[in-house]
Every structure is written in structure tokens, then in C-alpha cells.
């Protein structure tokens, strides 16, 4: 049974930075961050494979960084140069798949989310 608990969301001014955290317990290999803004569909932000490979949505490239601390069982999303359009509920996800993906269908374990608001 995989459990995911996010933290680190909050309110920040445009141009600022935030680091999201997700404690992941249970058997999993690939992890990712997703987001869903008001009136928008969920979209993949960044994915991280068990081999360290990463995948980013175009809007995230150069601004966001996904990483993982295995000792702390924690997944991170470092976000910089935040824009109002980045405002959303950010959710982490995990799966036993042996690859990297930012497609929701690849994941079967989800956290509750943490809200990010950029003004």
C-alpha cells in the first residue's frame, strides 16, 4: 500500500520560489508531480524514474526541478520564477512502473495535494 503526503504549498509573489515535498511510503519506483488549476484539467509537471531519468512538461523546463531523497523517502519539486499561471493544486503520484512519465494513466497512487497560489 503506497501513501503520499504533500507539503510546502503556499502563497508567493510572481517571480518567487517554492519547494514542494512529498513523503512517499510503500512499494514504488516511478514518481511524478501533477497540477490542476481552477477550471483546468490535470496536467503533468515533472516525472522521475527509478533510474534517475526525468521528464518535464514544457512549461516546467528551466524553472522546475524534480528530485528525490531516498533516505528520507521524500520527493521534491523545486519551483522558481513562478507565474500566476502556476497557481494550482499540486499533487504527487507514484507507481511501480519501471520508466518515467508525466501522464496520469501511468500512476495508481495519489496524494491529497498542496495548494500553490502565485499573485
Amino acid at each position: 500500500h503506497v501513501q503520499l503526503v504533500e507539503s510546502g504549498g503556499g502563497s508567493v509573489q510572481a517571480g518567487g520560489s517554492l519547494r514542494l515535498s512529498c513523503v512517499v511510503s510503500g512499494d514504488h519506483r516511478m514518481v511524478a508531480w501533477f497540477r490542476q488549476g481552477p477550471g483546468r484539467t490535470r496536467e503533468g509537471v515533472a516525472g522521475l524514474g527509478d533510474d534517475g531519468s526525468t521528464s518535464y512538461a514544457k512549461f516546467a523546463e528551466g524553472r522546475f526541478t524534480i528530485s528525490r531523497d531516498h533516505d528520507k523517502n521524500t520527493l521534491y519539486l523545486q519551483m522558481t520564477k513562478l507565474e500566476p499561471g502556476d497557481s494550482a493544486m499540486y499533487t504527487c503520484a507514484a507507481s511501480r512502473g519501471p520508466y518515467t512519465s508525466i501522464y496520469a494513466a501511468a500512476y495508481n497512487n495519489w496524494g491529497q495535494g498542496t495548494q500553490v497560489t502565485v499573485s
Side-chain angles (χ1 to χ4, degrees):
H1 179 62
V2 178
Q3 290 187 310
L4 304 97
V5 180
E6 303 95 335
S7 62
S11 297
V12 63
Q13 291 188 335
S17 300
L18 275 177
R19 188 178 78 161
L20 306 182
S21 300
C22 174
V23 178
V24 188
S25 61
D27 186 17
H28 67 282
R29 297 178 67 180
M30 56 192 285
V31 288
W33 287 96
F34 291 82
R35 73 181 189 182
Q36 186 168 12
R40 301 173 65 176
T41 58
R42 181 171 55 192
E43 58 184 350
V45 178
L48 177 61
D50 200 38
D51 62 354
S53 59
T54 57
S55 178
Y56 291 93
K58 286 199 176 297
F59 64 79
E61 290 177 351
R63 297 192 301 132
F64 296 0
T65 303
I66 188 171
S67 63
R68 173 161 51 185
D69 185 330
H70 285 283
D71 290 339
K72 295 182 179 179
N73 295 324
T74 302
L75 173 70
Y76 300 102
L77 183 68
Q78 178 68 50
M79 304 187 293
T80 64
K81 302 176 184 177
L82 285 163
E83 306 165 353
D86 295 317
S87 297
M89 179 70 75
Y90 284 73
T91 305
C92 58
S95 165
R96 296 187 69 233
Y99 46 90
T100 307
S101 176
I102 56 171
Y103 291 98
Y107 297 89
N108 58 350
N109 299 284
W110 297 83
Q112 294 299 308
T114 185
Q115 180 67 40
V116 172
T117 303
V118 185
S119 60

